[in-house]
Amino acid sequence: MSRARSGDLGAYEVLVARYTVPAHRAAVLLGAGDDADDVVQEALVKAYRQLSRYRGESGFRPWLLAIVANETRNLHRSRRRRDGLVLRAAAVTEPAPDEPGPADTVLARERRERLIGNLRSLAQRDQDVLVCRYLLDLSEQETAAALGVPKGTVKSRTARALARLREHLRAEEVPDA
Amino acid sequence: MPEPHDDLIAELRELDPFLAVPEAADQRATVRSRLSVPVRPQRRWRLWLASALAAVTVAVIAVEPARATVVDAVAQVLRVAGIEVRRQASPPRESPSPLPSTGGVTLEQARQRAPFTVKLPATLGPPERVELADPDDNGVPRVVSAVYRGGTVRFDQFAGSAGVFFKQAPDAEWVDLGPGMSIWLPKQHTLTYVDRAGLERTATARLATPTLIWERDAVTYRLEGFTSLEPAKATALSLS
């Protein structure tokens, strides 16, 4: 019995090694801040205990990320604040000096910074849905599981968040025009 | 039908690599020690009750043993550069034809002709035979093979950017090999060579003995002939 259990743990450790980094990234992008490592550890322990519920339809990664997102929400609830509102903790990396097309790179960088700034200014639940769908590349179904809302809500919230994001970006462009 | 925000969605997707997050802590030891502590009986009973209720509510859902699901999850991405492992069984030919080969060469000749740096596991000592497989018009080989221990151990290496082999092994598993992941095939499995044109040379399909596959610095390595994982890993880590 204990040998079987340690065999399971050995196999699971391979999964832990493989998915710790994406899980941590998801926790940070969803606003876990300094608690991201704790969130990931909690999620990995829960995932193992819930393995019998994993049915392997869409792969282990989205399944685990849904648990990470859930744990991140529990964290927000318990401490009644959100750290580094989604992307605040994430800094835009500097382009390498030898990257081709310096003008292009500067423009692209400015655009990315604007995009992140505007993404941050969206309401929290709008940010969450965009992070899940497009930065973490989860499907509508997986996003629904991760955020604990119906699939229809994910659909409508995504559309609304994208429209708002575009509105904000346009509003910024007007003074330059 | 194009969605109204396709361009914005594409921009958001492209954003991901530019977002730096702090480094993640290694969770392996902590998670293992937490999972090694048995769940308290009371909680386990509650868990059991909860799952029993869930099972009744959701009618019949086949609950697989945890072990099987772990292996399934592990096996979904069995791909090391240049080698694809399909989790299926398929009988190979009775007498497979060998890879197109230039025959035996010296280690020096192999080092001169190979399009990558040839490395060998130090623990195995000098190879008994070195072969170059499938040379192009200029004599540059795709695969360099070294044979040890009277032919029972075979060590292949090739540039990982080229799909060179595919394997059929239902029991393939991921293992952790120091700096990276690798695949361990603990049993006999089918090995087929994929040629320069991307065609599977089914005539080369043969039964390979247990094999460890890994990649380092864009070169893919295949070590065949160790029956257990630990000595295979030790050999792999002695590469120089």
Side-chain angles (χ1 to χ4, degrees), chain A residues 48-126:
Chain A
Y48 182 81
R49 301 217 162 112
Q50 295 172 8
L51 265 180
S52 59
R53 278 190 241 157
Y54 169 63
R55 283 183 282 140
E57 282 150 357
S58 53
F60 187 76
R61 180 183 172 274
W63 186 74
L64 178 66
L65 292 195
I67 299 177
V68 169
N70 247 305
E71 280 306 305
T72 309
R73 277 188 299 134
N74 289 345
L75 175 79
H76 297 326
R77 214 169 288 146
S78 70
R79 61 184 189 182
R80 292 166 184 269
R81 69 185 163 89
R82 290 184 72 120
D83 229 34
L85 290 170
V86 187
L87 293 165
R88 193 172 299 161
V92 179
T93 51
E94 292 292 319
D98 56 348
E99 292 271 297
D104 267 8
T105 311
V106 169
L107 274 179
R109 203 177 124 206
E110 279 173 11
R111 174 76 186 173
R112 280 195 295 271
E113 275 166 2
R114 280 229 313 277
L115 193 59
I116 290 172
N118 283 304
L119 193 52
R120 271 189 204 133
S121 69
L122 293 180
Q124 201 56 61
R125 49 193 205 166
D126 289 349

Side-chain angles (χ1 to χ4, degrees), chain B residues 16 18 22 41 45-46 51 58 65 103 106 160 213 226-227 231 236:
Chain B
D16 191 53
F18 293 96
W45 179 81
R46 270 167 41 203
S51 53
V58 195
T106 64
I213 309 165
F226 282 90
T227 46

Side-chain angles (χ1 to χ4, degrees), chain B residues 116-174:
Chain B
F116 48 84
T117 310
V118 173
K119 292 184 177 176
L120 295 173
T123 55
L124 288 175
E128 288 161 19
R129 202 169 71 241
V130 178
E131 290 169 7
L132 305 178
D134 204 358
D136 68 9
D137 294 340
N138 300 317
V140 177
R142 279 184 95 203
V143 186
V144 175
S145 307
V147 178
Y148 302 85
R149 297 185 187 173
T152 58
V153 171
R154 184 180 183 88
F155 181 65
D156 291 339
Q157 53 195 303
F158 51 89
S161 52
V164 176
F165 291 107
F166 88 84
K167 291 161 168 278
Q168 285 160 306
D171 42 19
E173 56 184 278
W174 282 110

